[in-house]
Amino acid sequence: AAGIISFMFLAASSAWGHALSGLKSSGNPSDWIFDSDDAKVCKIQNDNYINTVVEKCESTFVGAYGGGNVSVLFGFLNCFLFGVNVYYLYKETRFFNSNQGNLQNSP
């Protein structure tokens, strides 16, 4: 059961890291506002903007993702620490110690 929970920590951290990567690329206006076929806000045709209301297109702020990066890092750190704790807990149980012989009678 603890191994499954540890795997779930890993899967959740990986999913959050992948989602944050997608959020970064979709939140960067330079990636989609000029190049996308769906967003024709800043499309230029014959040196004029297709949307006549637009006079100038430039992205001014990409965003700060430091907190998100730190949360992904803490997620993987939490996964690692939980896995190590489960391993050391397993080493203290009778399941691990039953594989070793009786050490009291050894020469």
Side-chain angles (χ1 to χ4, degrees):
I4 293 171
I5 293 173
S6 181
F7 176 75
M8 292 305 236
F9 269 126
L10 179 65
S13 298
S14 299
W16 171 232
H18 180 71
L20 184 65
S21 175
L23 183 66
K24 287 179 182 179
S25 67
S26 65
N28 186 358
S30 298
D31 287 345
W32 59 270
I33 199 166
F34 302 111
D35 300 329
S36 176
D37 290 333
D38 296 330
K40 298 186 187 313
V41 175
C42 291
K43 289 288 184 184
I44 296 177
Q45 188 176 34
N46 298 330
D47 293 330
N48 292 322
Y49 290 104
I50 293 175
N51 188 350
T52 57
V53 178
V54 176
E55 296 176 3
K56 180 180 177 184
C57 271
E58 64 181 27
S59 58
T60 57
F61 181 69
V62 175
Y65 297 99
N69 292 336
V70 169
S71 72
V72 169
L73 181 68
F74 278 136
F76 281 110
L77 181 65
N78 189 21
C79 173
F80 173 74
L81 289 176
F82 186 80
V84 168
N85 284 332
V86 167
Y87 172 71
Y88 283 117
L89 182 65
Y90 166 71
K91 282 184 69 172
E92 295 296 323
T93 62
R94 61 185 166 101
F95 301 113
F96 180 77
N97 291 331
S98 68
N99 294 338
Q100 299 174 359
N102 189 356
L103 298 176
Q104 292 176 349
N105 296 331
S106 59

